[in-house]
Amino acid sequence: MSVRLVVSRQCDEQHEKRCAGSKNHGKKNHLERVDAMTARVSCNDCSLSPICLPLAVRADELEQLDNIIRRGRAMKRGEHLYRAADTFDAVYAVRSGALKTYSVSEEGEEQVTGFYLPGEIVGMDGISTARHVSSAKALETASVCEIPFDRLEFLSSRIPSLQHHFFSLMSREIQADRELHLLVSKKSADDRIAALLISISARHKLRGLSATTFRLPMSRYDIANYLGLAVETVSRTFTRFQQQHILRVEGREVEILDRGALCGAAPREILQQPC
Amino acid sequence: MSVRLVVSRQCDEQHEKRCAGSKNHGKKNHLERVDAMTARVSCNDCSLSPICLPLAVRADELEQLDNIIRRGRAMKRGEHLYRAADTFDAVYAVRSGALKTYSVSEEGEEQVTGFYLPGEIVGMDGISTARHVSSAKALETASVCEIPFDRLEFLSSRIPSLQHHFFSLMSREIQADRELHLLVSKKSADDRIAALLISISARHKLRGLSATTFRLPMSRYDIANYLGLAVETVSRTFTRFQQQHILRVEGREVEILDRGALCGAAPREILQQPC
DNA sequence: CGGCACATTGAGGAAACTCAACAAGTGTGG
DNA sequence: CCACACTTGTTGAGTTTCCTCAATGTGCCG
C-alpha cells in the first residue's frame, strides 16, 4: 500500500509558468539553495502530513496530490508570500515557521486577519476574486508548500475525500472567523488575549509541541492589531497576567502557569476544545 | 477613517466568466411578492437564479441541480431553520424574506454572525463538523430552498463550474468575515453602522430593489449585537444620522439621504466599488 | 385595552485609547 | 567593536468613546 514518491518533479510546466509571473522570481534560486533539505521532502515523508492536506487522501491517491505540490519554498522574516491584488493561483501549506495575513485599508492602516502555523493552509480568501484580497507575510524564517489551485480543483473532482476536505477546511476557516468575531465584538481585552494564547497553545499541542511553553511568532503590535486592541493594552495585560501568576512572559517567550485562570478569562467556545 | 465591508456575502456581480450563460429574465421586484406559488417554482423560473446557485451551471446542467433541491420551505418570523448542534446535511438558499445566523456562548450570550437576503446561501459553517455550529432563524416571513450537501458534493465533482462556484462562495464568506473583523476591531460606532447600511443598500440594489429606501429586516438589538455595540449606541447613532440629514429613519424603514456622507463617515472602499 | 417586545433618550461611569517618555533589543556602518 | 538609528516593548497620565443603568415612549397582537 505504501507509495514511493519521487522527490524531484520540481519544475513542471505549471511551476514554470507560475514562477515567471511571480514578483519574487529573483529570489527563487537563492531560496531553494537555502532550504535544500526540506524542499525535497515528499508529503509521504513529511511529519506534518497527519494534520495537513494529505490526511484527506488515501495512500494510493497521495502521489497525485504530491505531484501537484511545489514543496519547500523558503521565506525570510518579513518576506511576502503574496500581496493583495496579486493574481490568485495557488494556496499554500505552511511547512515551518509562521505567517500572518493582513489587509490594508485605503488610509493605509493594517488589519491582521490571521496567524498560520505549520500544517495550516493560507490563501483561501482569493478564490472568488481570482486575486488575493489580503497579503501574507512571514513572521519568521519559514517555508511553505505551494498548491496550484486549478490543479487542486481538478484533483478534487476526482478524489471526493479531497473535495470534502477542502470544503471542510474553508468551513473551519469560517468558523474560526466567527469565533474571532465574537471575541472582538463582545469580550474584554483580558479575554481576547487569553483566548489567543490558548488557541496558540492548543495548536502547538496538536503538533506535538509543548502546550505550556512556547515562543509567540508575532509582535505585540500584531497581537494588538489582530485582536482590535492598542499595543499598550496588550503589554499591560501581559504584565498583569504575570503579576497574577497566570503567565511567565519574557519578550515573546511565554509559559502558561495557570491554564485554568486563562480559560476562565477566555470563554471556552473560542477554543473548539476543552481547556 | 475607512471601512471595508463587502457589498454582498455571495452575490456581487464580479463572477467568473462561467456565469455568462445564465439568462436573467425579468429580475424585477419579485422579492417583495411572496406568493404561495413560489414554493413550486423551479430554478429555471426563479427570478433569483442570476444571483443564486444556478448562475454557476450551464442551462443543460441546471436540471441536475434542480433535481436535488427541495424548494420553498416556508418559515414564519422567529422560526429556526436549524440550530447549533443539529446534524448538518444541507445548505440553504434564501428565496424570500431574511434570516440571521447566530451562536450562543457558554454564558448564554448571543452572537449574531450574519444576515442573509434572498439569493444568499446559509449554513456553510457546518461542513467541517457535520453539525451546525450556529443557528439560523427567520427575521421575518421567509422561504428557503434546501440543498442536500452530500448531493451537492456529488454534483460538484461532476460539474467543475459548480465546484468552483461553491469554493468561491465560501471564499467570499471568508472575505466578508475578514471585512467585518476590520470593522468591529478598528472602526467607530458611526462607521460600523454606516457600513452595514451601505452593505444592505448595495445588496438590495443587486436584487433590483431600491438602494436608497428599504426596510431593515432585523431589530436594533440584532444590529447592535452583530456590530459589537450596545443597542443604545445604535439608536443614538440613527438619531444623529437623521439630525445630520444623512438618513431618514422611521422604525425599520430607512431612507438614505446623503450617501456620500455615509460613505465618508464610514468609508468608501467598503464596497470595492465607488460608493 | 393591557401586555410585551422594541426603540429612544439621559446621566454617569469605566474600559480601553491616545499621547508621551523611556528601556531594551537588533542591525548597520564606520 | 562601538556608536547610532531603528524597531519593539513597557509604563504612566489624562482623555474619549462607548457601555451600563434607568426611565420613558411607541407599535403590535391577542
Side-chain angles (χ1 to χ4, degrees):
Chain A
M1 203 65 144
S2 83
V3 183
R4 212 139 309 92
L5 293 167
V6 193
V7 161
S8 58
R9 258 301 164 248
Q10 277 274 49
C11 275
D12 46 28
E13 43 311 308
Q14 173 68 22
H15 176 183
E16 289 304 349
K17 184 180 105 196
R18 161 87 187 138
C19 288
S22 163
K23 290 177 179 170
N24 301 316
H25 181 235
K27 291 179 175 166
K28 177 187 157 242
N29 292 334
H30 165 63
L31 296 178
E32 282 183 354
R33 267 202 315 276
V34 167
D35 207 357
M37 300 289 283
T38 56
R40 303 292 161 132
V41 174
S42 74
C43 290
N44 217 9
D45 298 327
C46 176
S47 61
L48 290 168
S49 69
I51 57 171
C52 191
L53 266 195
L55 72 80
V57 302
R58 293 198 313 269
D60 60 306
E61 295 160 338
L62 184 54
E63 189 180 354
Q64 298 176 66
L65 180 60
D66 214 54
N67 281 337
I68 70 169
I69 294 178
R70 183 183 137 205
R71 272 173 295 280
R73 166 169 166 188
M75 303 182 67
K76 278 179 296 192
R77 177 193 161 100
E79 189 182 334
H80 278 87
L81 180 56
Y82 55 80
R83 290 168 192 269
D86 281 357
T87 62
F88 165 83
D89 41 29
V91 297
Y92 305 85
V94 181
R95 184 141 172 44
S96 65
L99 281 78
K100 72 170 178 183
T101 53
Y102 67 94
S103 54
V104 178
S105 72
E106 285 210 340
E107 285 98 1
E109 48 181 6
E110 180 176 317
Q111 173 64 59
V112 174
T113 53
F115 301 115
Y116 295 82
L117 301 185
E120 298 177 338
I121 306 290
V122 198
M124 294 187 292
D125 60 349
I127 299 175
S128 72
T129 43
R131 296 193 165 272
H132 287 288
V133 294
S134 60
S135 305
K137 192 178 190 177
L139 290 168
E140 56 194 23
T141 304
S143 81
V144 298
C145 298
E146 179 179 319
I147 307 155
F149 193 71
D150 52 357
R151 295 183 166 211
L152 183 66
E153 280 192 318
F154 177 74
L155 212 54
S156 290
S157 64
R158 305 241 150 174
I159 306 175
S161 64
L162 184 61
Q163 188 195 51
H164 183 81
H165 182 67
F166 224 79
F167 280 139
S168 197
L169 274 185
M170 297 186 73
S171 160
R172 218 171 295 160
E173 194 95 354
I174 292 171
Q175 277 182 36
D177 285 346
R178 302 274 156 95
E179 278 150 12
L180 183 60
H181 179 194
L182 169 63
L183 200 63
V184 169
S185 81
K186 301 266 185 306
K187 301 298 178 181
S188 68
D190 283 14
D191 284 350
R192 296 184 210 180
I193 289 169
L196 178 63
L197 290 172
I198 290 168
S199 164
I200 291 177
S201 161
R203 286 149 82 186
H204 268 255
K205 190 175 182 183
L206 187 63
R207 284 156 185 77
L209 303 170
S210 168
T212 56
T213 311
F214 48 86
R215 182 183 167 79
L216 296 171
M218 72 294 278
S219 70
R220 300 287 191 269
Y221 285 86
D222 286 333
I223 294 175
N225 189 306
Y226 179 65
L227 295 175
L229 297 170
V231 210
E232 294 92 332
T233 304
V234 174
S235 202
R236 282 187 248 271
T237 304
F238 273 168
T239 304
R240 191 158 23 76
F241 278 173
Q242 192 155 11
Q243 286 163 354
Q244 297 166 345
H245 306 290
I246 296 173
L247 295 181
R248 203 180 52 70
V249 185
E250 208 180 314
R252 296 188 179 184
E253 295 294 337
V254 173
E255 181 179 0
I256 297 176
L257 300 174
D258 185 348
R259 166 164 293 260
L262 260 198
C263 293
R268 83 152 46 110
E269 72 272 340
I270 287 167
L271 320 167
Q272 296 161 309
Q273 300 173 29
C275 241
Chain B
M1 225 172 260
S2 140
V3 180
R4 312 181 60 220
L5 182 78
V6 267
V7 163
S8 146
R9 286 190 166 253
Q10 288 123 6
C11 294
D12 46 336
E13 54 271 274
Q14 41 198 117
H15 281 123
E16 314 72 55
K17 321 84 197 176
R18 307 167 215 270
C19 64
S22 73
K23 335 171 173 182
N24 57 345
H25 39 271
K27 50 170 179 182
K28 295 292 195 258
N29 295 9
H30 287 232
L31 301 188
E32 284 166 345
R33 302 188 206 131
V34 185
D35 47 8
M37 300 307 287
T38 58
R40 300 296 164 124
V41 174
S42 74
C43 289
N44 219 1
D45 299 327
C46 176
S47 62
L48 290 169
S49 70
I51 59 172
C52 190
L53 265 194
L55 71 82
V57 303
R58 292 199 314 268
D60 60 309
E61 296 161 336
L62 184 54
E63 193 183 349
Q64 298 177 67
L65 181 60
D66 214 54
N67 282 336
I68 70 169
I69 294 178
R70 202 177 103 204
R71 269 173 298 280
R73 166 168 164 188
M75 302 183 67
K76 277 180 297 193
R77 177 193 162 99
E79 190 181 334
H80 276 87
L81 180 56
Y82 56 79
R83 288 168 194 268
D86 282 358
T87 62
F88 165 83
D89 40 32
V91 296
Y92 305 85
V94 181
R95 182 136 175 50
S96 65
L99 281 78
K100 72 170 177 182
T101 53
Y102 66 95
S103 54
V104 178
S105 76
E106 291 215 331
E107 290 97 1
E109 49 181 4
E110 181 176 316
Q111 173 64 59
V112 174
T113 53
F115 301 114
Y116 294 83
L117 301 185
E120 299 177 341
I121 306 290
V122 198
M124 296 187 289
D125 60 351
I127 298 174
S128 72
T129 44
R131 293 192 168 273
H132 287 288
V133 293
S134 61
S135 305
K137 193 178 190 176
L139 290 168
E140 56 193 24
T141 304
S143 79
V144 299
C145 298
E146 181 178 319
I147 307 154
F149 193 70
D150 52 356
R151 295 181 171 211
L152 183 65
E153 281 193 316
F154 177 75
L155 213 54
S156 289
S157 63
R158 306 241 150 173
I159 306 175
S161 64
L162 184 61
Q163 187 197 51
H164 183 82
H165 182 68
F166 225 77
F167 280 139
S168 196
L169 276 184
M170 297 187 72
S171 161
R172 225 169 287 166
E173 195 93 354
I174 292 170
Q175 278 182 34
D177 286 344
R178 302 276 156 96
E179 276 149 15
L180 183 61
H181 178 194
L182 170 62
L183 200 62
V184 170
S185 83
K186 301 265 185 305
K187 301 301 177 181
S188 69
D190 284 12
D191 284 349
R192 297 185 209 180
I193 289 169
L196 178 64
L197 289 172
I198 291 168
S199 165
I200 291 177
S201 160
R203 285 148 83 184
H204 268 255
K205 190 176 182 183
L206 187 64
R207 285 158 183 76
L209 303 170
S210 168
T212 56
T213 311
F214 48 87
R215 182 183 168 78
L216 296 170
M218 73 294 279
S219 70
R220 300 287 192 269
Y221 285 86
D222 287 332
I223 294 174
N225 189 307
Y226 179 65
L227 296 176
L229 298 169
V231 209
E232 295 91 332
T233 304
V234 174
S235 204
R236 280 187 250 269
T237 304
F238 274 168
T239 304
R240 191 156 24 77
F241 279 173
Q242 192 155 13
Q243 287 163 354
Q244 297 165 345
H245 306 290
I246 296 172
L247 294 182
R248 203 180 51 73
V249 185
E250 207 179 316
R252 297 190 180 184
E253 295 294 336
V254 173
E255 181 179 0
I256 296 177
L257 299 175
D258 185 348
R259 167 165 296 260
L262 256 199
C263 294
R268 89 165 50 107
E269 88 283 6
I270 294 188
L271 307 171
Q272 297 155 334
Q273 292 170 28
C275 216

